[in-house]
Amino acid sequence: MQRESLEAYPAFAPAIREVLLSAEEIEARVQALGQAISQDYAGRNPLLVGVLRGVFVFLADLYRAITIPAEVDFISVASYSAESRDRGVVRLIKDLDLSIMGRDVIFVEDIVDTGLTLNFLLRNLQARGPASLEVCALFNKPKRRLIDIPLKYKGFDLPDRLVVGYGLDYRERYRNLPFLALLEPSVFLGGEKENNAGRRTE
Ligand code: IMP
């Protein structure tokens, strides 16, 4: 329990059950990921591709932790329904602005859960002929994985619980918390189960 992280966010305190990772712990890990990418891609100008919206906080910090020339682009997806989302059926609502043909692409994800969304998007990107395609995921829920996808760069393994903060939301809230937290059960209204809540929001 790291209640001190919450002191600057009193409006959120009643909803937060537990702080799992402090802002400092996340920052240290993001810096290490940035260093690893800078070393591995030295002289290559990689293109970081992020999926909106959850990744924007992580990607902004990761990008600044990378000390070599690199570019950024975004893709945005929506699921047709909660059920189709669970099967990994998503549609692109914003495509990349840049061509990735012949580029060294690093696909940046905030959190990998079942892996279905990531699998769909990686296949889509692979078909466009990048020189290389690797994944950098800050958070990983290995117990929920349905498809095995190699995560070349990984921040933290998490338990199978809905987490919020550092870009991750529950019903569009909590993205601005700089730490990663579990919510109080009372937040989950309308009979939604915690494990089914907060999957990719549109
Ligand atoms: P997957 O296709 O099951 O791997 O879904 C990954 C997406 O679900 C992430 O990019 C998030 O948008 C969302 N997601 C999964 N777990 C959580 C969570 O604990 N909090 C918030 N969003 C989550």
Side-chain angles (χ1 to χ4, degrees):
M1 180 74 80
Q2 295 158 318
R3 294 308 291 189
E4 67 277 10
S5 301
L6 265 175
E7 277 169 18
Y9 296 83
F12 288 102
I16 302 298
R17 175 172 208 159
E18 187 181 341
V19 176
L20 290 180
L21 293 169
S22 68
E24 293 75 21
E25 287 172 302
I26 295 173
E27 189 192 337
R29 196 73 197 103
V30 173
Q31 285 297 327
L33 291 171
Q35 278 174 19
I37 289 172
S38 305
Q39 282 170 11
D40 293 351
Y41 287 83
R44 286 204 278 162
N45 187 28
L47 174 63
L48 309 186
V49 170
V51 190
L52 294 170
R53 287 184 295 259
V55 83
F56 77 96
V57 174
F58 171 42
L59 190 46
D61 286 343
L62 178 69
Y63 192 43
R64 286 173 291 178
I66 292 174
T67 54
I68 58 167
E71 296 171 32
V72 173
D73 202 355
F74 291 96
I75 206 165
S76 184
V77 296
S79 47
Y80 293 96
S81 66
E83 201 182 279
S84 65
R85 184 167 55 214
D86 282 344
R87 295 198 310 266
V89 182
V90 295
R91 70 194 149 94
L92 289 187
I93 53 174
K94 184 217 166 290
D95 203 349
L96 296 173
D97 293 326
L98 305 173
S99 165
I100 63 168
M101 178 150 344
R103 298 293 308 266
D104 291 305
V105 175
I106 305 173
F107 191 83
V108 183
E109 262 282 30
D110 45 4
I111 185 164
V112 184
D113 188 19
T114 63
L116 291 172
T117 313
L118 181 58
N119 183 57
F120 172 90
L121 289 170
L122 285 178
R123 279 191 306 177
N124 180 300
L125 296 184
Q126 194 68 63
R128 305 181 193 196
S132 65
L133 180 58
E134 300 287 358
V135 179
C136 175
L138 183 57
F139 303 118
N140 181 39
K141 290 185 187 170
K143 283 204 175 133
R144 295 256 314 162
R145 191 73 88 263
L146 295 176
I147 298 182
D148 187 32
I149 300 169
L151 306 178
K152 175 147 190 195
Y153 304 98
K154 189 179 67 173
F156 301 91
D157 280 335
L158 299 178
D160 177 17
R161 306 286 297 278
L162 177 84
V163 289
V164 296
Y166 202 71
L168 294 173
D169 74 308
Y170 174 64
R171 297 189 168 175
E172 291 307 320
R173 291 195 186 177
Y174 311 104
R175 293 191 198 273
N176 53 327
L177 296 175
F179 47 82
L180 192 79
L182 292 178
L183 291 173
E184 287 289 353
S186 57
V187 174
F188 303 103
L189 299 172
E192 247 182 300
K193 296 254 180 356
E194 184 178 346
N195 282 344
N196 290 328
R199 301 285 172 246
R200 184 177 301 286
T201 48
E202 292 164 34

